[in-house]
Amino acid sequence: MKYIFVTGGVVSSLGKGLTAAALGTLLENRGLKVALQKFDPYLNLDPGTMSPYQHGEVYVLDDGAETDLDLGHYERFTSTKLSRKNNTTSGQVYQQVLDNERNGVYLGKTVQVIPHITDEIQRRIQVLADDAKVDVIITEVGGTTGDIEGLPFLEAIREFGLEAGLHNVCFIHVTYVPFIKAAGELKTKPTQQSVAKLREIGISPHVLVCRCERSLDKELRQKMAMFCSVPYEAVVEHKDVDHSIYEVPLMLQRERLDDLVCRVLGLTVPAANMAPWQEIIRKLIAPQHRVRIGVVGKYIELQDAYKSVYEAIIHGGVANDCGVEIEKIDSEDIEKNGPDKILKGLGGILVPGGFGERGTEGKILAAKYAREKQVPYLGLCLGMQIATIEFGRHVLGLTGAHSTEFDPATPHPVIALLDDQRQVTKKGGSMRLGAQPCQLVMGSRAQQLYGSFVVLERHRHRYEFNNAYRERYEAAGFSFSGTSPDGKLVEIIELKGHPFYVASQFHPEFLSKPDAAHPLFRGFIAAAHLQLHKKAL
Ligand code: GLN
């Protein structure tokens, strides 16, 4: 088994996760089996209870683990299936160690960061190594070198590296080489200092991946190689990409990152065949068609809050050879200014998941606009609940219809908690989470798009469609094209007689890939493009 550890220096948000994922792509395309793992130094047990302002999107896995959004990159860039074993936080490590202490596992010893916390971290690498049956494990350590809370993780990987043996471990340090405008120069000092910090801890990186806005010249590379004690070829440039994050594997291949890593690890494998990946990039850069999609949410100003949604839209575009321009629309703007001006000319409207009342009325207006003006609509989780509320209020005449999440006293609780959920008071991990089967109705749009009758989709929500209203909705053309196999839970709705009005209680965006767009996103973009085309004729 070979181990790659990816650490980060100088500043956060350097795209360590992307680097790790892109390296995963390259190694897989060289015929290696790869597993990816993320360590997060914060004390929360998982990001499930964190605000999107703190953390961006919460990425949900099949087993219901609520994880860091980097795991989304891992799944989109490689063929690995992840589980809760692939994301460890300090909180989980401490919880395990404290449980052990209460259970007498440490036999009267003083429990300490070294060795108890560091051993537990190493155990988690080992568990993955034993389970995953792969050739290489790539472990990304979150945070930045020098953070106090990251130290136990760095100490743990240092020790792990010693035990695994010289040719079985590769340390990659992702660092930043800023361009200082006033001097007109790229500066290497932050990298030198960050590597020095890492060496103080006892880790000497084999490879430096340098994030930069401009190209590194020979002299700069030589300087960093010398001061950071790495070979010249081990200084890898990772410049900002022009069009899409999916260019990163190709760029890193040009810089020979995968060759370098294979050499350090003593792996003799053929070069990666990236031709299929190149075709994806071609469709991203020079698509045959174009369409504009509005995403109506409340965390629009945050880059990362709807990460997987934006990615899945782009995948839907790739599948249709269609470039997608994503218009990020604040639902409160629709409340203030009305939908007509803001939504006019869009090829499709998407309402993503969300929690809390703020901005819901704007989303309801957007769903109404899409329904009435025959604009393709895709609703995800809250987006399905919004479509239900809108239809109840404006088509069925259920005045004041709402979700009990937003209005507990509503006369028409069309979205509500199921009886067995009412007792739940704990916040973390208490939702309907993870992959669950959904049965599709023969001949429905969803069924046609999936091309099968039962699908597994990932959930993360508390509230459900209220079955007391089912008949009234169905009679008015609001059809339930996907349900749980026992028929009790509504999973997909669609509108009859509309070009494309589909919404799901689950999150399809978590199962979409650049080379295999999720069927609902593929269908949504196809419909959006077709509608625009028809209007133009
Ligand atoms: N707030 C809604 C619920 O809990 C929707 C959640 C979501 O969109 N992920 O049911």
Side-chain angles (χ1 to χ4, degrees), residues 119-186:
D119 280 356
E120 174 57 22
I121 295 169
Q122 292 184 63
R123 190 186 68 80
R124 284 162 180 262
I125 305 171
Q126 199 55 54
V127 165
L128 192 64
D130 295 342
D131 274 21
K133 298 189 179 57
V134 294
D135 305 304
V136 186
I137 291 187
I138 304 176
T139 304
E140 177 195 348
V141 182
T144 309
T145 317
D147 295 348
I148 290 175
E149 56 182 12
L151 284 174
F153 287 97
L154 296 178
E155 171 58 17
I157 62 170
R158 181 190 74 80
E159 289 175 18
F160 194 94
L162 280 182
E163 270 173 38
L166 204 58
H167 290 296
N168 295 325
V169 181
C170 178
F171 289 103
I172 299 179
H173 192 55
V174 182
T175 174
Y176 184 46
V177 183
F179 178 76
I180 305 296
K181 249 203 205 137
E185 275 178 39
L186 286 163

Side-chain angles (χ1 to χ4, degrees), residues 269-287:
V269 280
N273 171 16
M274 296 299 285
W277 203 267
Q278 254 144 2
E279 179 55 15
I280 299 175
I281 304 299
R282 204 267 317 142
K283 286 185 184 158
L284 281 167
I285 295 176

Side-chain angles (χ1 to χ4, degrees), residues 352-356 380-383 385 405-406 415 431 460-464 505 507:
F355 296 82
L380 312 175
C381 204
L382 178 65
Q385 302 177 351
E405 176 181 6
F406 312 126
I415 303 290
M431 287 185 263
R460 181 172 186 257
H461 57 100
R462 283 200 174 78
Y463 295 81
E464 307 280 353
Q505 188 55 81
H507 288 273

Side-chain angles (χ1 to χ4, degrees), residues 209-274:
V209 173
C210 304
R211 295 283 287 113
C212 46
E213 285 164 57
R214 307 193 176 204
S215 284
L216 305 172
D217 62 19
K218 195 169 165 201
E219 212 177 303
L220 276 174
R221 288 183 193 240
Q222 276 168 342
K223 195 169 165 188
M224 277 190 283
M226 191 177 70
F227 284 118
C228 302
S229 293
V230 297
Y232 176 80
E233 320 76 66
V235 179
V236 169
E237 175 186 294
H238 181 339
K239 226 169 68 166
D240 297 349
V241 282
D242 294 333
H243 302 280
S244 150
I245 55 169
Y246 300 109
E247 290 173 77
V248 174
L250 298 174
M251 189 180 65
L252 293 177
Q253 187 188 34
R254 281 196 295 277
E255 285 283 306
R256 299 184 162 270
L257 174 66
D258 54 326
D259 284 343
L260 208 69
V261 167
C262 287
R263 206 168 337 126
V264 172
L265 295 174
L267 290 164
T268 4
V269 280
N273 171 16
M274 296 299 285

Side-chain angles (χ1 to χ4, degrees), residues 312 314-320 511-522:
I314 290 166
H315 306 160
V318 170
N320 288 288
L511 292 181
S512 190
K513 285 174 169 241
D515 53 350
H518 188 284
L520 296 185
F521 282 88
R522 175 169 42 80

